[in-house]
Amino acid sequence: MKLRTSLFSSLLFCSALLASLFPAAAHAQAYVGRPKLIVLVVIDQFRGDYLNRDRAEFKGRGFRLFMDQGAWFTDCYYDYANTKTAPGHATIGTGAYSDGHGIESNEFWDASRSWEKKVTAVEDERYQLVDLPPTSIPSNQPGAPPTALNYVIGSSPRNLRATTFGDELRLATQGRSRVYGVSLKDRAAILPAGQSANGAFWVDNVSGHFTTSTYYMEHLPEWARAFNASDRPAQAERESMVEGTTQFFDLVGRMPAANSYELDFAKALIDGEKLGQSGVTDLVVVSLSANDIQGHQFGPDSDSEEKMILSLDRDLDSFNSWLDKTVGLDNVWLALTADHGIPPIPADAARLGIHAATLDMDVLYQKLNADLNTRYSKDKKGKPIQFLLPGPDLPYIILDRRAFEKVHIDEKAAEDAVAELLPAAIAAQTPKIDEQIPAQHRLPPSPQFAGAYTRLELAHGQLPTSELGRVLAHSYADHGNWYVFLALGAYQMEDFHGSIGTTHFSPWSYDRHVPLAFHGAPFLAGEYHSRVAPVDLAATLASLAGVNQPSAAVGRVLTEAIKPIKQPNAQ
Ligand SMILES: [Zn+2]
């Protein structure tokens, strides 16, 4: 008995000691909140050379804060080949590529969800958009059929298979860290923030009002409703000279005014949610869409691109100065990057003698389909079978599995056939005679086939043992359809017949080159020319914040840009 009492009292003593050492909710409180706030700025379509090109023009604490006082990496390249917006944003958040995070394009055919239409990387019919203005709800439109939806389909990170840096902050703090994403585009607000984000906000294309999805909340917070109800959306329209427009995304979205509009919403978010004040690290990701919307139209070398960049420099100067006044830059880490680069408009590159050419995808699809019918269709007089799914969107050519299965062709044979037919189908296209070629005696450049890789080859790593093979392996994701990945020659792309000027999608350096820069207490200021990758961003932030790497992260911690940790003097 005595023994038991003494054991009991020692246990009591031990637990009292433990309690004094580790008070209740010890896990959540043990996290040392540093810094108060991390702001990650992503510029949609911003090639890595832009900062150097316009360096002399920058003023104040916009880009110069990163370039002069921060750690600026001049040679940051995505190590994958599907350089599109949704995978880029997912990569920035997760520190992984498509083979890790599961997002390979902005939209895809998902055999488990629909054979009628492609789905976007984030659309999710199980949720609805929140607090749209009545005029933006389809069933309210004049002449809408009675069947018109009385809501608009929502979005979520349902396809994101890896956690983000923000998710790991939330896990480490048992939800006390708060994480938000802001953009004009849903995919760019949702994917870099992660699965557990407290909110992601993007604009209603018609009105420009910020909205979100019921995945996050039933209604917008009061501060967001106040922002929408203020003069701010109308001010952005006035600044873009399109007052009263019903095409806010297209017409305001491509103007410099859209960047300050988004940054003002980010300020309202930081204020409204009191971010950076809770003793743990909060995270805001702002993806600025305007440069992409205008860049596709006018290309990287236009006057409007120059204006956009210099205007963004001023907007970032004022945003960073505001952060300094409110949270204090000593308490904030800033990071800057982009989701992909861009090539010049093909005619502009061809004028300099580059082998830039365009490929007519409609003609290519007709030729491929005719060749496949010759090979596989038994009924030569009947209606041709459609072996390819519509919506050509390079680098992917999507096969209609059902059509091949009907003629008893399996995936390997079908994908191998398309890959085999592609070189001749591309060579069959006559080059567009273009007055842009540099000399009368020189022949116009033709579209060039650079490689075709089947889904099965990507899935099983049956790829060339080269740099290109490694980059292709990172591009693999699967949504239940058969496909072939097509690489064209550098500076070549689909012919958009004048609807847009240029686009990004390729494994070539101009699509993969983006800026990477940090500013804040732990970073060693300098201009770094070592080759790094956007996956290193999440890896570096996770390491410095002292949390786990995101679940599929492959990035390197950029130790060369981290200040040496001061050890207490050894006795
Ligand atoms: Zn983009």
Side-chain angles (χ1 to χ4, degrees):
M1 184 68 190
K2 193 167 180 224
L3 184 68
R4 286 184 64 190
T5 313
S6 108
L7 184 62
F8 182 67
S9 52
S10 345
L11 279 172
L12 265 184
F13 174 76
C14 281
S15 53
L17 185 68
L18 281 172
S20 67
L21 287 173
F22 302 101
H27 286 88
Q29 289 180 3
Y31 177 77
V32 181
R34 52 162 206 195
K36 291 180 175 178
L37 180 65
I38 299 176
V39 180
L40 166 52
V41 177
V42 181
I43 312 173
D44 201 315
Q45 191 191 121
F46 198 86
R47 217 171 50 201
D49 60 324
Y50 291 177
L51 289 182
N52 194 50
R53 189 169 76 175
D54 288 321
R55 192 173 194 168
E57 307 293 321
F58 297 144
K59 295 183 176 67
R61 294 199 289 179
F63 289 122
R64 282 202 166 276
L65 187 73
F66 294 99
M67 298 165 78
D68 297 344
Q69 297 170 44
W72 171 33
F73 289 86
T74 57
D75 290 77
C76 179
Y77 289 82
Y78 279 90
D79 258 338
Y80 67 174
N82 47 313
T83 41
K84 310 280 275 188
T85 293
H89 281 84
T91 293
I92 291 164
T94 61
Y97 291 113
S98 297
D99 59 338
H101 58 59
I103 309 278
E104 82 281 27
S105 197
N106 292 341
E107 49 182 20
F108 27 79
W109 286 95
D110 183 338
S112 69
R113 288 171 68 186
S114 175
W115 284 107
E116 303 301 313
K117 65 177 192 71
K118 290 189 282 189
V119 292
T120 79
V122 292
E123 85 175 61
D124 192 338
E125 58 283 356
R126 301 169 303 172
Y127 300 98
Q128 298 174 17
L129 296 184
V130 160
D131 293 335
L132 290 181
T135 46
S136 295
I137 298 174
S139 59
N140 293 351
Q141 300 310 309
T147 51
L149 294 175
N150 59 3
Y151 61 89
V152 183
I153 289 174
S155 305
S156 80
R158 71 186 284 174
N159 294 304
L160 192 64
R161 292 181 194 152
T163 59
T164 60
F165 165 61
D167 287 327
E168 295 301 330
L169 271 180
R170 301 229 339 118
L171 285 162
T173 59
Q174 296 171 18
R176 289 174 66 216
S177 281
R178 281 163 307 150
V179 173
Y180 290 92
V182 174
S183 179
L184 297 187
K185 304 177 180 177
D186 54 3
R187 55 183 178 270
I190 291 170
L191 295 172
Q195 301 168 3
S196 69
N198 300 72
F201 304 100
W202 57 92
V203 298
D204 163 41
N205 289 355
V206 175
S207 64
H209 284 198
F210 278 89
T211 181
T212 185
S213 166
T214 50
Y215 176 80
Y216 301 100
M217 57 194 83
E218 290 292 314
H219 288 290
L220 287 171
E222 193 48 53
W223 60 262
R225 276 189 268 182
F227 183 94
N228 284 339
S230 74
D231 183 53
R232 197 60 187 84
Q235 183 195 330
E237 292 176 8
R238 283 196 300 275
E239 288 168 3
S240 308
M241 320 262 268
V242 289
E243 212 165 341
T245 182
T246 53
Q247 295 173 269
F248 187 98
F249 182 88
D250 293 325
L251 300 184
V252 179
R254 66 181 181 181
M255 302 297 281
N259 287 328
S260 60
Y261 183 64
E262 275 191 54
L263 289 167
D264 277 356
F265 185 82
K267 288 187 208 168
L269 162 69
I270 292 166
D271 254 351
E273 297 295 337
K274 299 187 169 47
L275 299 182
Q277 298 180 28
S278 63
V280 292
T281 303
D282 294 326
L283 170 69
V284 176
V285 185
V286 187
S287 170
L288 299 162
S289 312
N291 205 59
D292 185 68
I293 302 170
Q294 75 94 29
H296 278 293
Q297 285 182 294
F298 306 118
D301 305 309
S302 65
D303 289 346
S304 40
E305 179 67 50
E306 178 82 358
K307 265 190 211 150
M308 180 74 81
I309 292 172
L310 297 183
S311 168
L312 178 54
D313 184 49
R314 291 190 292 274
D315 292 337
L316 287 174
D317 176 27
S318 101
F319 180 72
N320 291 338
S321 301
W322 178 87
L323 273 177
D324 198 15
K325 255 187 251 146
T326 50
V327 193
L329 282 184
D330 289 347
N331 302 313
V332 177
W333 298 351
L334 293 164
L336 174 78
T337 191
D339 59 341
H340 50 76
I342 192 80
I345 289 175
D348 291 348
R351 197 184 305 133
L352 296 173
I354 303 289
H355 291 175
T358 57
L359 184 70
D360 191 317
M361 290 301 289
D362 292 334
V363 173
L364 181 76
Y365 264 51
Q366 283 160 21
K367 169 95 178 97
L368 278 180
N369 207 57
D371 291 348
L372 290 166
N373 271 279
T374 308
R375 239 183 230 212
Y376 298 128
S377 176
K378 290 197 182 75
D379 182 8
K380 303 292 178 205
K381 284 181 192 149
K383 209 172 153 212
I385 297 172
Q386 293 301 322
F387 284 105
L388 304 172
L389 283 167
D393 191 12
L394 289 177
Y396 298 102
I397 291 176
I398 312 293
L399 281 55
D400 191 333
R401 198 175 77 194
R402 298 165 306 175
F404 285 99
E405 282 169 346
K406 239 181 233 169
V407 290
H408 309 292
I409 303 297
D410 66 11
E411 178 175 6
K412 181 166 187 335
E415 290 176 352
D416 285 350
V418 171
E420 193 188 310
L421 290 166
L422 272 165
I426 290 169
Q429 293 209 3
T430 46
K432 262 197 343 190
I433 306 296
D434 198 321
E435 74 281 3
Q436 309 289 4
I437 53 170
Q440 291 299 322
H441 60 267
R442 201 181 283 182
L443 297 169
S446 308
Q448 292 163 337
F449 170 84
Y453 309 91
T454 68
R455 190 202 74 82
L456 283 172
E457 286 169 344
L458 290 163
H460 298 138
Q462 293 162 341
L463 294 163
T465 52
S466 63
E467 276 301 296
L468 180 63
R470 194 172 59 81
V471 163
L472 286 165
H474 285 154
S475 307
Y476 176 68
D478 182 13
H479 291 95
N481 281 92
W482 302 354
Y483 65 80
V484 173
F485 184 108
L486 170 63
L488 294 176
Y491 294 98
Q492 304 193 347
M493 66 185 70
E494 175 181 352
D495 186 347
F496 294 99
H497 305 289
S499 63
I500 63 166
T502 184
T503 198
H504 48 87
F505 68 98
S506 80
W508 309 123
S509 61
Y510 49 80
D511 280 343
R512 292 164 51 195
H513 190 195
V514 290
L516 180 65
F518 301 90
H519 180 271
F523 299 103
L524 200 56
E527 189 177 313
Y528 297 85
H529 291 271
S530 47
R531 178 111 170 200
V532 296
V535 289
D536 301 339
L537 187 153
T540 301
L541 291 180
S543 177
L544 285 171
V547 301
N548 287 325
Q549 294 285 329
S551 60
V554 294
R556 180 176 73 86
V557 180
L558 298 168
T559 51
E560 63 271 43
I562 298 174
K563 285 179 188 162
I565 296 163
K566 286 198 188 92
Q567 300 291 349
N569 287 340
Q571 196 60 35

